[in-house]
Amino acid sequence: MTYTVATIIGTRPQFIKEAPMSMALRKNFNELIIHTGQHYDENMSYVFFEDMEIPQPDYNLNIGSGLHGEQTGRMLAAIEEVLIKEKPDYVLVYGDTNSTLAGALAAVKLQIPVGHIEAGLRSFNRNMPEEINRIATDRIADHLFCPSKHAVSLLKNEGIEKNVFLTGDVMYDACLHFLPIAEKKSTILESLGLTHEQYLLLTIHRPSNTDDTHAFMSIMKGIADSPWPIVFPRHPRTKKVIQNTAVQKMLSEMPHLKIIESVGFLDMLYLEHHARKILTDSGGVQKEAYFLGKPCITLRTETEWVETVKAGYNVITDNDPEKIRQAIHVFDPTHPQENFYGDGNAAEKITESIKKAFNL
Ligand code: UD1
Ligand code: UDP
């Protein structure tokens, strides 16, 4: 008998985590992909299925955007309906978004075992919606797949030691697998007129930086006199703040800032790999900067990926213009790095753990 694993995804970073997972899972299980539709723009969803050759979702629930409670609630109801109909033997959820929590909750209430990929992460900042999603998902999931020793130790501090697996990070798997493909296929630097190592890469999407015009303008102030051009693939969440009149005026005086639409994963990996430095408030981008040995300037008050800071490759500046400026001009680690995130076989290890749960 072949068991069915339902994979629940809905946002950009989840598609990226799903790519290596799907390849490993499908060697041993039937996979049923449920896309919640939390992200729906072509360049926030479709492009990743294309770039990474992820099988098309079996269901797209088309939930779309909304307030947290409303969005999570609609997902919960819609996922429940599919799970009742399809009766999968196992459910996998990824990371810390509303799609993660809704998927885990729908499954546990139907008594379907749940595995949480990227378990054990904490920012200790409960103002972040993700922190609540992570804590709740780790509490209710049956199997916790941790990307790092630090994540395992954080769970231990919360008294969670059973069914915790140190597997490494599936994003590292994705980076190793897709970087050579990106190197062959991407032409983004030429099309932007940028030169290797002679530009910075910027991403911003946290509510604390996008929903607060002052915070966004502080970041802009910090990058205003960058000696390198800066490419900024814009998350849809930044649309509103960029249209603000004061922000528009500020941006008109920053010709070195190239704002582009969000890019697919191959172009993004290529941009990361050839950047001089990376500025971001993204969790995934901080890690990819580390995998690729790039200095990372984190536009947040804290990070879950503390190893990258301890290793001296990530500096936390929040949206403080002077700290950002300093980091752009001065921060330049070159020492050898340690590998904290596994050996690039996290997806295989997670699959092996799920097999054991079925005595396979
Ligand atoms: C979500 C996750 C966040 C993750 C991020 C990855 C939650 C609470 N947040 O944040 O953890 O880091 O995805 O990118 O789950 N929008 C579009 N088109 C889209 C998607 C979104 O225009 O395809 C716009 C809508 O105006 C929407 C806003 O972006 O209201 C925010 O989208 P949402 O999915 O709620 O949160 P993200 O900021 O994307
Ligand atoms: N990413 C991408 N295109 C972009 C910006 C980001 O492919 O224009 C990728 C990035 O390489 C990383 C992931 O999206 O793998 C990170 O997702 P995001 O920053 O949206 O969310 P987070 O990781 O903070 O949850």
Side-chain angles (χ1 to χ4, degrees):
M1 162 175 184
T2 310
Y3 293 100
T4 298
V5 175
T7 294
I8 298 177
I9 50 181
T11 63
R12 172 166 77 184
Q14 290 165 332
F15 309 138
I16 291 159
K17 289 164 200 169
E18 156 68 349
M21 237 2 270
S22 185
M23 288 187 240
L25 268 181
R26 283 173 190 250
K27 292 182 201 156
N28 301 278
F29 295 98
N30 292 323
E31 190 190 25
L32 179 85
I33 301 183
I34 306 173
H35 183 332
T36 62
Q38 178 170 350
H39 286 173
Y40 44 86
D41 288 347
E42 192 165 311
N43 60 354
M44 293 297 288
S45 174
Y46 170 81
V47 67
F48 297 97
F49 289 83
E50 281 293 294
D51 267 9
M52 307 175 85
E53 296 182 357
I54 304 168
Q56 282 306 306
D58 297 277
Y59 289 87
N60 189 326
L61 307 176
N62 291 312
I63 299 298
S65 309
L67 293 172
H68 285 276
E70 182 217 348
Q71 185 186 51
T72 313
R74 283 197 286 122
M75 285 178 194
L76 179 61
I79 295 168
E80 182 177 61
E81 211 177 300
V82 176
L83 296 183
I84 288 172
K85 182 168 167 233
E86 296 285 349
K87 299 185 178 46
D89 302 290
Y90 195 90
V91 164
L92 263 183
V93 296
Y94 300 70
D96 52 22
T97 73
N98 290 346
S99 297
T100 315
L101 179 60
L105 203 49
V108 290
K109 283 182 175 277
L110 294 168
Q111 297 175 8
I112 305 170
V114 179
H116 182 203
I117 295 182
E118 217 178 69
L121 275 293
R122 298 290 182 268
S123 65
F124 300 100
N125 175 356
R126 289 174 72 98
N127 292 327
M128 287 178 75
E130 294 82 1
E131 185 74 353
I132 309 300
N133 290 341
R134 290 180 194 124
I135 293 171
T137 304
D138 282 342
R139 289 280 155 182
I140 60 179
D142 297 274
H143 300 134
L144 301 178
F145 301 118
C146 294
S148 63
K149 285 186 189 152
H150 181 66
V152 173
S153 74
L154 290 178
L155 288 175
K156 192 172 174 194
N157 293 345
E158 294 177 15
I160 307 175
E161 290 187 72
K162 226 178 124 203
N163 290 325
V164 172
F165 303 87
L166 176 61
T167 58
D169 195 323
V170 289
M171 286 193 72
Y172 187 44
D173 298 17
C175 187
L176 292 181
H177 183 85
F178 289 102
L179 186 61
I181 303 173
E183 286 295 321
K184 257 195 219 136
K185 288 193 175 170
S186 178
T187 54
I188 190 153
L189 278 201
E190 290 85 334
S191 62
L192 291 172
L194 295 169
T195 320
H196 299 242
E197 296 283 327
Q198 297 305 314
Y199 66 94
L200 310 181
L201 175 64
L202 168 68
T203 80
I204 303 176
H205 78 280
R206 295 281 160 209
S208 55
N209 287 329
T210 57
D211 298 2
D212 172 351
T213 310
H214 177 74
F216 187 83
M217 286 174 79
S218 282
I219 295 173
M220 294 301 117
K221 206 166 155 197
I223 64 172
D225 71 344
S226 163
W228 297 286
I230 302 177
V231 57
F232 176 20
R234 171 182 86 84
H235 186 285
R237 188 162 203 121
T238 58
K239 224 175 262 172
K240 202 164 143 213
V241 72
I242 287 175
Q243 279 160 5
N244 173 287
T245 316
V247 173
Q248 281 284 315
K249 184 169 180 296
M250 198 171 186
L251 295 180
S252 68
E253 286 154 18
M254 296 171 63
H256 64 298
L257 180 66
K258 286 175 188 285
I259 304 183
I260 60 172
E261 291 301 317
S262 295
V263 296
F265 189 56
L266 298 180
D267 281 341
M268 185 64 184
L269 266 186
Y270 197 86
L271 281 172
E272 289 173 334
H273 193 206
H274 296 282
R276 181 88 177 207
K277 298 182 186 185
I278 297 176
L279 300 103
T280 191
D281 60 10
S282 155
V285 176
Q286 285 177 65
K287 271 187 297 173
E288 284 161 356
Y290 189 75
F291 302 153
L292 298 168
K294 298 291 163 177
C296 183
I297 300 166
T298 293
L299 308 166
R300 285 180 45 192
T301 48
E302 74 287 306
T303 179
E304 299 78 29
W305 306 103
V306 290
E307 305 89 352
T308 62
V309 177
K310 280 196 200 127
Y313 270 81
N314 190 356
V315 64
I316 306 289
T317 61
D318 192 12
N319 53 40
D320 182 321
E322 195 40 43
K323 284 188 188 159
I324 296 170
R325 226 190 128 263
Q326 276 289 319
I328 289 178
H329 287 263
V330 180
F331 180 53
D332 224 350
T334 50
H335 54 276
Q337 292 173 284
E338 238 184 282
N339 184 348
F340 302 106
Y341 301 112
D343 56 7
N345 288 308
E348 294 287 349
K349 288 186 182 146
I350 292 167
T351 306
E352 281 309 308
S353 300
I354 302 173
K355 277 170 71 181
K356 279 199 189 121
F358 287 102
N359 294 319
L360 295 174

